[in-house]
Amino acid sequence: MNALVALCHFCELHGPRTLFCTEALHPPSPSPAQPGAAIPGDRGREGDSEGEGLTMRASSATQRADMCEGCRSLPASHPGFVSVDSETGIRFLSHQHPRQPQLFSVVRQACVRSLSCEVCPGREGPIFFGDEQHGFVFSHTFFIKDSLARGFQRWYSIVVVAMDRIYLINSWPFLLRHLRLTIQSLQSTALKVFDSEQCVCPQRAVRMNSAFSPAVFPHQRSGNAARSLTSLTQHPNLWASLHSSFSWLLKACGSRLTEKLLEGAPTEDTLVLIERQTEQEEEMIGWEGAEGGASLSQHSQSETELGRDFLCEGGKGDELPGPKFKSLRHLRQVLGATEFRQLAWHVLMGNQVIWRGADPSLIQSAFTVLKALLPVGCVRSVPYSVQYEEAYRCNFLGLSPDVPIPIHVSSSEFSVLVDVVNAERGSLYTAVCDDDILSLYQFNISSANAQPTDRGPTLLNKVEVALSNENLSVEVVSHCLLCLKEEWMNKVKVLFKFSKVDGRGREDTQKVLGLLGATGPGEEDNVRLLKFWMTGLSKTYKSHLMTAVRGGERTLSQ
């Protein structure tokens, strides 16, 4: 990650000051070596540890001007810290100030703004500011208890400076979570020192009984107006610990997100996936704030597992033993063309699809291939349950064989039940080819819906044409289905804009449906499909559309 992390402090004598800064130095680009030429940055490599991960050693000493105790982090004779990532060759250098003059100016401005004008409500908490010229800053301000300070506390901030605004904003939840852990550790350590000093000599009573003079206020405490952070926390290895923390933060944040080349605008499925993943991260942050105490490795693992399980639907089902449906074509071959069309019709119409059987892996594989017929935003799934779940909670529901179906569900035209009955119980997990599923199970499909499903919708007719064409491979059919879904999602967007945003009448809406090719045979099913798919539109698209419409209305009114 091309960024740096700095700890800043507001000194009572000198104002905002940078205390400690960690920056990442990337290895130079490979070039033809010249005889006798030294490779920059390779000096002293023999002193590095050969173990994996980050290794520490001293860097060259730097000349620094005289500063008060509160403005100084490392002694003048201290060389600083360097950590080397053996995997990538990136070096993380920590000292009081950056090495490059340009970075010094950027960090200095970020320090001043984070502790002066750019302040969030309550003065403590995260904030984002910056511009293209001076970089963008994620800043988190906080207080450290000090029995000798004005107001018994000192003001600090941790800033993360980067030139990539989008990357920094996308890293907000990650940075906030881990910086809060560092800040809470500093505050709790300083609070213990503060309580012990107050027990020895309560400063509030001393100040109330002494004469107050603003001119000599900094000198009334025997020159202790500017105490160092090391003195406030009584942490002997404070700066080495902060160096390790900041170095890990830069390394982890850099490897957390990767750039991918996308052709054109992201699809609605991609937008919905991003929104759901963001919601999961926010819920995790809220849970961490309420519970606390869990290790970083547990949090990172949970976040990774959530993203993998959500983005790769059916991944857990693949780990379960037993026969599975491999594709829509395979499911159609097993169920039969008529039964498959009835089931797919209910899926596209948004009705609740219930599978009841004793094999969870088979049911989950069926849901995995059936979900491909719908946009991601229209899918609400409960893979396997021991009790019935209402349709408003899920449109894909897997049940164990002994779960009864409520009467209002079995008699409803908005649901379909697939009972999976074991034909041979002795060889439940011995299936190795497609035909074995037919020998192991019987599939009984029932629904109270009396409406014929042979006329529409148009999307289902095109899907069946692709599935029945044996000259097309499974991969080609998958891409064909993706294109068909995008085509109909575009029709959904037009209808949503026309009917929901603009509020046009029935006659105008009927004309739009004609232009979209949704009229004619199966018109009722097409309209029902479009209305159901409207529920799967991303919040980002809806918000953008409403904002654009309101902006246009303001322009016309002006």
Side-chain angles (χ1 to χ4, degrees):
M1 180 181 181
N2 294 323
L4 55 86
V5 187
L7 173 66
C8 307
H9 163 56
F10 189 88
C11 178
E12 295 180 358
L13 302 178
H14 305 98
R17 286 291 185 270
T18 303
L19 285 181
F20 197 71
C21 180
T22 301
E23 55 182 315
L25 302 180
H26 295 262
S29 301
S31 58
Q34 298 180 0
I39 299 177
D42 277 358
R43 185 178 180 181
R45 287 297 292 267
E46 61 275 4
D48 294 345
S49 170
E50 296 181 358
E52 295 183 356
L54 297 176
T55 59
M56 292 187 59
R57 62 184 178 83
S59 67
S60 58
T62 57
Q63 299 294 332
R64 305 184 316 150
D66 295 335
M67 293 175 289
C68 69
E69 182 182 355
C71 297
R72 182 181 297 113
S73 57
L74 301 177
S77 59
H78 197 287
F81 303 100
V82 169
S83 294
V84 181
D85 184 2
S86 59
E87 298 177 355
T88 61
I90 298 176
R91 302 188 177 192
F92 301 95
L93 173 64
S94 293
H95 213 278
Q96 180 148 359
H97 301 290
R99 297 175 57 188
Q100 301 179 12
Q102 297 85 353
L103 292 180
F104 177 87
S105 176
V106 170
V107 174
R108 171 61 180 167
Q109 186 181 56
C111 171
V112 173
R113 293 183 65 177
S114 69
L115 294 173
S116 57
C117 55
E118 306 290 351
V119 183
C120 64
R123 302 187 71 183
E124 281 191 294
I127 196 171
F128 182 88
F129 59 88
D131 52 54
E132 296 287 348
Q133 181 179 1
H134 301 95
F136 299 93
V137 181
F138 173 88
S139 172
H140 196 301
T141 53
F142 60 97
F143 290 101
I144 295 290
K145 299 296 291 186
D146 180 8
S147 59
L148 300 181
R150 187 178 306 174
F152 298 105
Q153 58 187 8
R154 297 188 183 275
W155 199 12
Y156 290 85
S157 70
I158 298 179
V159 297
V160 181
V161 186
M163 298 304 296
D164 192 338
R165 176 177 60 89
I166 302 300
Y167 196 101
L168 196 58
I169 291 177
N170 289 336
S171 301
W172 177 290
F174 177 84
L175 295 173
L176 180 61
R177 179 165 62 253
H178 293 289
L179 287 182
R180 278 180 174 173
L181 293 175
T182 302
I183 292 171
Q184 290 172 1
S185 177
L186 292 174
Q187 290 177 330
S188 61
T189 306
L191 182 60
K192 296 178 182 178
V193 178
F194 174 81
D195 291 338
S196 62
E197 292 178 349
Q198 287 293 84
C199 292
V200 175
C201 180
Q203 289 294 320
R204 186 176 300 275
V206 173
R207 297 183 187 182
M208 292 181 65
N209 296 328
S210 62
F212 175 78
S213 175
V216 297
F217 179 80
H219 307 285
Q220 286 181 342
R221 297 180 296 279
S222 302
N224 290 328
R227 300 174 66 186
S228 66
L229 187 58
T230 306
S231 175
L232 295 179
T233 58
Q234 296 296 319
H235 194 315
N237 299 319
L238 173 65
W239 305 117
S241 177
L242 283 178
H243 166 75
S244 299
S245 178
F246 289 170
S247 300
W248 178 90
L249 186 68
L250 290 175
K251 174 182 171 61
C253 193
S255 59
R256 175 176 171 269
L257 299 176
T258 57
E259 294 182 351
K260 293 184 179 180
L261 180 61
L262 298 177
E263 297 182 0
T267 63
E268 279 296 304
D269 286 356
T270 303
L271 293 177
V272 173
L273 287 174
I274 294 175
E275 290 174 355
R276 291 187 179 180
Q277 188 174 10
T278 303
E279 291 175 357
Q280 290 177 346
E281 291 180 354
E282 292 176 352
E283 291 178 358
M284 186 180 300
I285 293 175
W287 177 84
E288 290 174 358
E291 298 293 337
S295 63
L296 289 178
S297 60
Q298 292 175 340
H299 294 324
S300 300
Q301 183 179 6
S302 299
E303 182 177 357
T304 305
E305 289 178 352
L306 283 173
R308 182 177 64 251
D309 295 342
F310 179 74
L311 294 176
C312 303
E313 297 185 17
K316 293 185 177 180
D318 294 340
E319 300 174 1
L320 299 175
K324 304 177 182 66
F325 293 107
K326 301 177 181 179
S327 63
L328 281 174
R329 176 175 288 171
H330 181 205
L331 179 63
R332 186 171 183 267
Q333 292 172 350
V334 172
L335 297 182
T338 304
E339 301 292 338
F340 172 81
R341 182 178 179 88
Q342 180 184 1
L343 182 63
W345 183 88
H346 283 278
V347 171
L348 293 174
M349 294 298 103
N351 296 338
Q352 188 177 40
V353 178
I354 306 172
W355 281 61
R356 186 168 58 180
D359 191 351
S361 64
L362 181 71
I363 295 177
Q364 292 185 31
S365 66
F367 287 165
T368 299
V369 298
L370 288 174
K371 288 176 185 177
L373 294 171
L374 295 178
V376 174
C378 294
V379 175
R380 304 181 310 279
S381 176
V382 176
Y384 204 72
S385 176
V386 295
Q387 63 180 5
Y388 173 76
E389 301 290 347
E390 293 293 342
Y392 70 89
R393 294 195 57 189
C394 58
N395 54 340
F396 289 94
L397 176 61
L399 297 176
S400 57
D402 55 343
V403 177
I405 305 297
I407 299 178
H408 73 278
V409 177
S410 58
S411 60
S412 173
E413 62 178 4
F414 301 109
S415 64
V416 59
L417 174 63
V418 181
D419 269 315
V420 183
V421 181
N422 294 337
E424 295 183 11
R425 299 182 180 274
S427 57
L428 183 58
Y429 296 128
T430 59
V432 293
C433 64
D434 296 350
D435 295 336
D436 287 337
I437 292 183
L438 290 174
S439 63
L440 292 175
Y441 303 101
Q442 293 179 357
F443 301 92
N444 302 323
I445 302 178
S446 59
S447 175
N449 178 67
Q451 181 178 352
T453 61
D454 56 344
R455 300 184 64 183
T458 306
L459 174 62
L460 179 56
N461 297 333
K462 294 183 178 180
V463 169
E464 283 209 308
V465 169
L467 292 175
S468 60
N469 189 348
E470 296 294 339
N471 294 326
L472 301 180
S473 64
V474 175
E475 290 77 13
V476 172
V477 173
S478 176
H479 287 287
C480 178
L481 179 59
L482 181 63
C483 294
L484 289 174
K485 285 168 58 178
E486 283 301 304
E487 175 188 351
W488 280 81
M489 279 305 296
N490 290 333
K491 297 179 181 181
V492 169
K493 292 179 180 179
V494 173
L495 185 61
F496 177 81
K497 169 66 169 61
F498 200 81
S499 61
K500 302 297 183 181
V501 180
D502 295 343
R504 299 294 184 92
R506 182 183 298 271
E507 295 182 0
D508 292 339
T509 303
Q510 191 67 23
K511 294 179 181 179
V512 171
L513 290 174
L515 293 175
L516 295 176
T519 56
E523 177 181 352
E524 182 179 352
D525 290 342
N526 287 332
V527 174
R528 186 173 170 183
L529 181 147
L530 292 173
K531 291 183 178 180
F532 170 56
W533 282 28
M534 279 187 191
T535 62
L537 289 174
S538 64
K539 298 178 182 177
T540 303
Y541 173 77
K542 293 180 180 179
S543 176
H544 170 74
L545 199 60
M546 297 301 297
T547 303
V549 171
R550 291 169 183 170
E553 292 177 352
R554 287 195 298 267
T555 303
L556 292 175
S557 63
Q558 291 175 355

